[in-house]
Amino acid sequence: MDKPHIETLCHKCHGDYLEAGFIVVKVPGQKFKDACTHCQSGQGWDYEVEAKEVNHG
Ligand SMILES: [Zn+2]
């Protein structure tokens, strides 16, 4: 089983993950934005990213 992992996501990549069906939960307590680990061009917050189990009919 995959454990959730932490990624720094800008606003755009956060939306991309949500659209792709991932569970994305913000990690609390962050005071400063970091470089996005996904596109590496934006700035964003740390999120716990977890693959959602999808049942196709
Ligand atoms: Zn990004």
Side-chain angles (χ1 to χ4, degrees):
M1 273 200 277
D2 280 350
K3 281 184 183 175
H5 62 283
I6 306 292
E7 288 203 46
T8 307
L9 298 175
C10 67
H11 184 73
K12 180 189 172 299
C13 295
H14 176 242
D16 286 350
Y17 266 100
L18 289 178
E19 266 186 43
F22 285 84
I23 300 166
V24 186
V25 182
K26 192 170 182 296
V27 177
Q30 246 195 315
K31 291 193 175 79
F32 302 101
K33 284 188 173 183
D34 246 325
C36 176
T37 53
H38 202 65
C39 67
Q40 280 155 24
S41 65
Q43 296 265 306
W45 304 105
D46 285 353
Y47 293 91
E48 203 172 80
V49 179
E50 188 176 2
K52 185 166 25 179
E53 285 182 38
V54 182
N55 294 315
H56 291 287

